[in-house]
Amino acid sequence: MAQQEDVFKKIVSHCKEYGFVFPSSDIYDGLGAVYDYGQNGVELKNNIKQYWWQSMVLLHENIVGIDAAIFMHPTTWKASGHVDAFNDPLIDNRDSKKRYRADVLIEEQMAKYEDKIQKEIEKAQKRFGDSFDEAKFRATNERVLENQKKYDDLHHRFQEVMNAEGGIDLDGLKQIILDEGIVCPISGTRNWTDVRQFNLMFKTEMGSTADGASTIYLRPETAQGIFVNYLNVQKTGRMKLPFGIAQIGKAFRNEIVARQFIFRMREFEQMEMQFFIQPGTELDWFQKWKAYRMKWHQNLGFGAENYRFHDHDKLAHYANAATDIEFRMPFGFKEVEGIHSRTNFDLSQHAKYSGKKIEYFDPDTNESYTPYVIETSIGVDRMFLSIMCHSYEEQLLPDGQTRTVLHLPAALAPVKLAVFPLTKKDGMPEKAQEIINDLRFHFNCKYEEKDQIGKRYRRMDAIGCPYCVTVDQQTLEDNTVTLRDRDTMEQKRVAISDLRGIIEDKVSITSLLKKLL
Ligand code: ATP
């Protein structure tokens, strides 16, 4: 674990050193849980967004996009339930003065029991090899059974407390923390305060006080911008159910615990899609969207073993089914995306609060009804982090040297091709520029002439550039260059005229999208 934490620290420094992510207002020592994306980060982030947008909007005839404003009428948040219920239960440790989410402390305790079970299984797997029967081992091994019971008991109690009548049972949460002997990771003590509710929405004011300024909120999710536009889009787009509306945009949450770099931010970006359907079909669509979203993630080639679904114990006030897609980060399996069956809660609430009729007239059945909704909601920044974590490698090379390389999926890499003149003379720089001038319309290219070629390769490996081309003496004679592959480090001689075809196939988002069909 300690080793994994070290790796995570290295990834964070790498992000800063190579222009991916900087602390916000860095010269003023940063601002808690707010970050800026640098010259390479913004490219990677844009590519992630493009991959998502195109897979949703381009590949689905019945999904369209919108871009709603961050500021919304304040009644929106009353109707959605956020003013009354968008709370996290917080608890303080009196000795360290550190604040935690009480539910997260308990979830981490459950994860510890799961880890112990997993370790026993892995040990036994090694010992027994091919003859290992996991189901039998789980049913009979004493240590596994003991930890499974602890997990099940805690899980059961946690569910009861989180789903208590009238909202979360705050005293019950504290009692679990005390009974489980959960200590503050900083002070190591159990000197806990009571658990309190904390609303996560940021408030600000619109208009001057003289006009009677009104309190408005920075949106804590992009979804409500879609719900309030349901009628506009359905009517102007003449959309027939089932159909979806997709949106990418900023969201803001005054998170209690803001650690782990860009995993939990106070200003972040979401990619959300609301899929409007006929009531009664929601569980079927829920399964379909679960499968499609998992496919989208696994399509990046990070290995199926690094993903899992985590079904929710506590359903949000609007949901009748919910799951998370979790990815194996260096600090454990963590949520990257949520898929929720939100019933007709949001549309009904907006109808109630606005006094407008928000329904769908079904021409097939001649009936009007309020559509149900399946939502897929993914954080751009968490996706970015999962890609960084999985791609980062400190590789020991056969000659004893090491290199730091980002094995980014080529289609998402910030720079696709670097072109180097071997030396700064004999027309090589001009030839290199010529190649770039030709290819820059097709993908992001970079020119580098400083330092030896080896150093230039290392710099490109560190930003995950999949291809490097070197222009040398021979190029001037026969219009061929050496093409070097980031992952294998293999170099081959190719004609300049073939470069576009070879590279484009590997780096285009289109090839990634084709694999989704
Ligand atoms: P968590 O339980 O980790 O707080 P959540 O369940 O509240 O997350 P949702 O409301 O389902 O998250 O939001 C959908 C997605 O938005 C999440 O899966 C995550 O990728 C992203 N997200 C939510 N909160 C943050 C945050 N503070 N920083 C970065 N991304 C976030």
Side-chain angles (χ1 to χ4, degrees), residues 227-247:
F227 289 124
V228 300
N229 275 299
Y230 160 78
L231 279 182
N232 284 339
V233 175
Q234 195 270 320
K235 288 202 171 127
T236 58
R238 296 191 296 149
M239 309 298 290
K240 279 187 77 178
L241 245 55
F243 77 92
I245 305 179
Q247 176 172 220

Side-chain angles (χ1 to χ4, degrees), residues 384-397:
F384 185 108
L385 184 61
S386 64
I387 292 170
M388 272 294 179
C389 290
H390 193 269
S391 303
Y392 181 89
E393 190 192 9
E394 283 173 14
Q395 204 176 34
L396 184 63
L397 301 175

Side-chain angles (χ1 to χ4, degrees), residues 102-275:
D103 56 332
V104 172
L105 285 178
I106 296 169
E107 277 167 6
E108 282 171 359
Q109 182 76 356
M110 291 200 289
K112 275 188 194 155
Y113 294 134
E114 272 186 321
D115 274 356
K116 282 187 187 162
I117 295 173
Q118 201 50 40
K119 284 215 178 90
E120 292 295 336
I121 290 172
E122 278 165 20
K123 252 191 338 205
Q125 228 156 14
K126 270 199 198 124
R127 202 166 352 121
F128 297 114
D130 286 346
S131 64
F132 181 63
D133 177 347
E134 186 178 326
K136 194 167 156 204
F137 184 75
R138 277 181 180 272
T140 52
N141 180 276
E142 254 176 51
R143 275 186 298 271
V144 170
L145 289 173
E146 196 184 305
N147 280 305
Q148 189 64 49
K149 176 156 177 16
K150 284 185 186 164
Y151 177 90
D152 291 341
D153 290 347
L154 178 55
H155 186 224
H156 178 69
R157 233 179 124 187
F158 184 49
Q159 251 183 318
E160 278 190 346
V161 167
M162 294 300 277
N163 294 306
E165 284 262 327
I168 303 176
D169 170 5
L170 299 178
D171 293 338
L173 269 185
K174 179 172 180 183
Q175 202 51 50
I176 296 180
I177 290 174
L178 295 178
D179 293 348
E180 285 286 324
I182 296 175
V183 298
C184 163
I186 309 287
S187 66
T189 72
R190 298 173 193 179
N191 193 3
W192 296 110
T193 61
D194 285 343
V195 179
R196 282 170 296 146
Q197 290 282 34
F198 177 78
N199 193 291
L200 299 181
M201 282 198 294
F202 283 100
K203 277 184 199 163
T204 186
E205 273 170 15
M206 184 176 261
S208 71
T209 335
D211 304 340
S214 54
T215 300
I216 55 167
Y217 300 95
L218 298 190
R219 66 181 179 197
E221 60 174 29
T222 56
Q224 297 305 324
I226 291 180
F227 289 124
V228 300
N229 275 299
Y230 160 78
L231 279 182
N232 284 339
V233 175
Q234 195 270 320
K235 288 202 171 127
T236 58
R238 296 191 296 149
M239 309 298 290
K240 279 187 77 178
L241 245 55
F243 77 92
I245 305 179
Q247 176 172 220
I248 300 179
K250 287 276 178 126
F252 305 82
R253 296 183 189 178
N254 198 3
E255 297 281 359
I256 301 169
V257 183
R259 292 193 204 106
Q260 287 164 331
F261 192 39
I262 55 172
F263 181 77
R264 193 173 295 288
M265 302 155 91
R266 295 202 167 102
E267 173 180 341
F268 57 100
E269 211 165 349
Q270 289 186 313
M271 305 188 281
E272 296 199 297
M273 193 278 300
Q274 266 44 62
F275 199 68

Side-chain angles (χ1 to χ4, degrees), residues 101 253 255 263-265 268 270 335-338 340 377-379 382:
R101 260 173 66 178
R253 296 183 189 178
E255 297 281 359
F263 181 77
R264 193 173 295 288
M265 302 155 91
F268 57 100
Q270 289 186 313
E335 170 182 347
V336 176
E337 171 158 5
H340 311 124
S377 171
I378 167 171
R382 279 196 196 172

Side-chain angles (χ1 to χ4, degrees), residues 416-476:
K416 314 296 193 197
L417 171 71
V419 184
F420 313 145
L422 185 61
T423 62
K424 280 189 236 168
K425 41 180 211 243
D426 299 338
M428 286 183 213
E430 290 76 11
K431 189 77 190 169
Q433 284 294 358
E434 212 178 279
I435 295 175
I436 289 189
N437 286 342
D438 193 31
L439 295 179
R440 64 162 31 114
F441 299 102
H442 309 288
F443 35 79
N444 201 352
C445 304
K446 198 174 168 70
Y447 175 80
E448 280 260 16
E449 59 174 27
K450 271 206 208 88
D451 299 321
Q452 298 164 334
I453 291 288
K455 273 199 178 162
R456 286 184 248 172
Y457 281 152
R458 291 292 174 275
R459 278 205 295 275
M460 289 301 129
D461 289 343
I463 64 164
C465 175
Y467 292 106
C468 295
V469 150
T470 305
V471 170
D472 54 19
Q473 199 60 43
Q474 193 183 333
T475 312
L476 307 175

